[in-house]
Amino acid sequence: MESSKNKDPLHGISLQLIVEKLVGFYGFDTLGELIKIKCFTENASVKSSLTFLRKTEWARKKVEELYIKTLPKF
């Protein structure tokens, strides 16, 4: 029996790691332009972004989608 490898690129990746990688790659300024949410444009920090994204499903989905699109560039 073959072991099936999970093909979900988000499997096993924490939201914190996703945000840290995106901030490291784009910076908060560019992230704020790509995803129009205040946690990336006003007093931006990883901690405040995580707090907002954990409470807001639609924003988290946008961040996850950007992460998946950006994966080949990392």
Side-chain angles (χ1 to χ4, degrees):
M1 185 173 190
E2 287 184 35
S3 63
S4 61
K5 187 175 181 182
N6 194 332
K7 294 182 182 183
D8 180 5
L10 298 174
H11 181 75
I13 305 292
S14 69
L15 183 59
Q16 181 174 353
L17 183 61
I18 291 171
V19 171
E20 288 172 348
K21 282 192 162 200
L22 289 173
V23 169
F25 187 76
Y26 291 112
F28 279 113
D29 291 338
T30 304
L31 263 180
E33 291 174 15
L34 295 170
I35 304 172
K36 307 270 191 238
I37 50 179
K38 285 185 181 181
C39 70
F40 293 146
T41 59
E42 296 180 18
N43 298 322
S45 73
V46 171
K47 184 178 178 182
S48 65
S49 297
L50 289 172
T51 301
F52 177 75
L53 294 171
R54 286 182 177 131
K55 295 178 185 177
T56 314
E57 180 79 22
W58 64 265
R60 186 171 69 246
K61 291 288 182 203
K62 287 183 180 257
V63 169
E64 290 172 347
E65 288 169 6
L66 179 62
Y67 176 77
I68 291 169
K69 287 180 193 173
T70 308
L71 268 176
K73 299 176 186 176
F74 288 137

